[in-house]
Amino acid sequence: MTLARDLARLWHARGFRRLTLVRLLSQTGDGMFQVGIATAFFFDPTEAATPGQIALGFAILLAPFTLVGPFVGPLIDRWQRQRILLIGNLVRTTLALTIGAVVLLDGPSWIEYGLALLTLSVNRFLLASMSAGLANVVPARELLAANAIMPTLGTIAAAAGAAVGGVVTLVVPTATDSSLALAALVGSALAFSSSAWATTLLSRRQLGPTEPLAALHLAAQLRALASELASGVRYLHRRVTPLQALSVMAAQRLLYGMMFVASILMSRHVLGDPAHPEQSIGEFATVLGFAAVGFGTAAVLTPWLAPRVGPHRWIVGALLLGAGGQALLAASSARWALLSAAVIVSIAVQGAKIAVDTIVQRDTADDFRGRAFTLYDVAYNVAFVSSAAVAALLLPPTGYSSAVMAGIGVAYLAVAALFSRAPRVPSPA
């Protein structure tokens, strides 16, 4: 099996092993945290959980970070990335426990939203740092395999963490929303603190940057950050291939985000019973579990097929596969259709992401890599917020519309057609 061989080969690199451990623990906590806030925000039986409310939730959680996110990239190129991971996970531990206390005490929802915003913002900072640092712990020729393995294992770990919440609802069906959310949040805090410990196994300079930018006074640093971000955008534009890869990722995330919102609503109104949130959460956890199967399959297929056809053609193929998955959901709202689409679309999304990560890392110099992956995260957030807004306009309260699902499939085909004409070789910078 290609995945097993690639993992066995990469496992000899101590830095890769330790960074993988950091990511697995961190994203296991992500999955638990997402179940906690989903329970608190989206499956409350006293709330209608309409497409508009979910869109508002995504906007509150992601849009503010999108405004400050561009300044994160220069910081990733300025600060030691190992310290970012250590301090960031300790901050997330504190925030998760604080949200748990607010839920337990039935505090105001705006406080929960604000703290969740901070936690998710730090999470995107950490993921961008890990992606930027990966190229410093594996040889350049192994980047494709490393991008297939590490983020995919992290995504599976997140799905496993989310599945724990679903198991809790089955084992303790009489548990209240607040107790389910609290258990998930405490579990996430334990995982975040474990990830902070694992970060100490990496040396301070191991993840780069190789030449940290000099520290400046606050005013001068803000001016420098803006200048460095602008130079990063100009660099990606001149290189062409990284910017086009980021654009495809954003388009695919927008389409995937619409299906994600539909899955939340369908788990509540089609597969579950709005009066029994524990059943809805269990159904949504099942959808996430099937998505994890797709992510794992992408990790096996991508290192085997992508080198043979090239990352650009692989991305086009993944987009076509995504269109096929959406066609199933357009044909039926049955449970089998949603779960099948979850597997197929997840293969497409994760397979394309692996190739996009590789293109960005391969075609971007280390001095600009932090900025590149922060722009990646900003595009991700904008796409997800936009998907929620579009879903609020197009989806019915139940979350299912055959016409909308078919339209998403057509959009996949359009993006595939556009990217098939994109250049394969980066321009000199």
Side-chain angles (χ1 to χ4, degrees):
M1 181 182 290
T2 301
L3 177 63
R5 288 199 303 269
D6 290 341
L7 181 58
R9 187 173 65 253
L10 286 167
W11 208 249
H12 293 293
R14 179 183 299 179
F16 175 82
R17 291 199 307 271
R18 292 179 174 178
L19 184 58
T20 300
L21 178 62
V22 172
R23 185 149 190 161
L24 289 176
L25 292 170
S26 178
Q27 292 201 250
T28 298
D30 291 342
M32 295 181 183
F33 182 80
Q34 289 165 11
V35 166
I37 62 173
T39 303
F41 299 157
F42 298 137
F43 293 109
D44 186 342
T46 65
E47 300 291 339
T50 64
Q53 289 175 333
I54 292 178
L56 177 62
F58 277 126
I60 291 174
L61 293 175
L62 298 179
F65 177 62
T66 302
L67 300 177
V68 301
F71 293 96
V72 170
L75 295 178
I76 293 174
D77 292 332
R78 182 182 295 275
W79 297 343
Q80 293 295 343
R81 294 162 189 156
Q82 187 265 2
R83 308 310 285 179
I84 292 174
L85 298 180
L86 174 62
I87 296 171
N89 275 307
L90 292 176
V91 169
R92 288 204 299 166
T93 300
T94 302
L95 289 172
L97 292 175
T98 304
I99 295 172
V102 174
V103 170
L104 182 64
L105 298 174
D106 196 23
S109 59
W110 67 267
I111 295 180
E112 295 177 13
Y113 273 111
L115 294 174
L117 161 64
L118 291 176
T119 308
L120 293 173
S121 298
V122 174
N123 177 44
R124 301 312 303 171
F125 195 6
L126 300 187
L127 290 177
S129 298
M130 285 187 274
S131 295
L134 180 60
N136 294 77
V137 295
V138 299
R141 66 181 183 277
E142 300 286 5
L143 269 178
L144 179 63
N147 278 315
I149 292 170
M150 184 180 290
T152 302
L153 290 179
T155 303
I156 293 172
V164 170
V167 170
V168 170
T169 63
L170 296 176
V171 175
V172 191
T174 59
T176 63
D177 279 356
S178 60
S179 62
L180 292 173
L182 181 61
L185 291 167
V186 171
S188 69
L190 292 173
F192 295 153
S193 60
S194 298
S195 183
W197 164 80
T199 303
T200 63
L201 301 177
L202 293 160
S203 66
R204 184 165 184 164
R205 296 182 178 274
Q206 194 165 359
L207 300 180
T210 53
E211 296 181 5
L213 300 175
L216 303 172
H217 293 297
L218 179 60
Q221 182 161 301
L222 290 176
R223 289 194 297 271
L225 291 178
S227 175
E228 290 157 19
L229 176 65
S231 68
V233 173
R234 290 193 298 270
Y235 174 86
L236 294 176
H237 184 266
R238 288 195 301 268
R239 292 292 277 172
V240 180
T241 53
L243 187 62
Q244 290 184 339
L246 292 180
S247 300
V248 168
M249 178 279 303
Q252 193 177 35
R253 286 294 169 180
L254 188 150
L255 300 175
Y256 181 75
M258 292 182 65
M259 180 179 170
F260 188 84
V261 173
S263 298
I264 293 175
L265 292 167
M266 290 177 67
S267 296
R268 180 182 177 91
H269 295 286
V270 178
L271 306 181
D273 184 350
H276 298 87
E278 71 283 351
Q279 182 183 356
S280 302
I281 297 170
E283 292 289 353
F284 187 56
T286 301
V287 174
L288 293 178
F290 273 75
V293 173
F295 293 136
T297 304
V300 175
L301 292 177
T302 303
W304 178 55
L305 286 176
R308 289 167 169 78
V309 302
H312 286 77
R313 288 182 179 176
W314 174 247
I315 292 172
V316 172
L319 291 166
L320 295 176
L321 184 64
Q326 286 296 147
L328 285 179
L329 201 52
S332 174
S333 63
R335 195 169 188 267
W336 68 267
L338 177 59
L339 297 181
S340 298
V343 174
I344 295 171
V345 174
S346 294
I347 294 173
V349 168
Q350 189 66 10
K353 179 187 182 300
I354 293 168
V356 168
D357 288 355
T358 302
I359 291 171
V360 174
Q361 289 169 335
R362 182 196 64 193
D363 296 347
T364 305
D366 185 61
D367 290 344
F368 290 91
R369 205 170 282 140
R371 280 162 279 186
F373 276 98
T374 295
L375 289 170
Y376 187 121
D377 288 334
V378 170
Y380 174 95
N381 286 334
V382 170
F384 232 71
V385 171
S386 300
S387 71
V390 174
L393 293 174
L394 299 180
L395 290 175
T398 62
Y400 181 77
S401 166
S402 178
V404 172
M405 297 300 115
I408 294 173
V410 172
Y412 270 109
L413 295 176
V415 176
L418 289 173
F419 191 68
S420 66
R421 303 170 62 86
R424 268 57 169 171
V425 179
S427 300

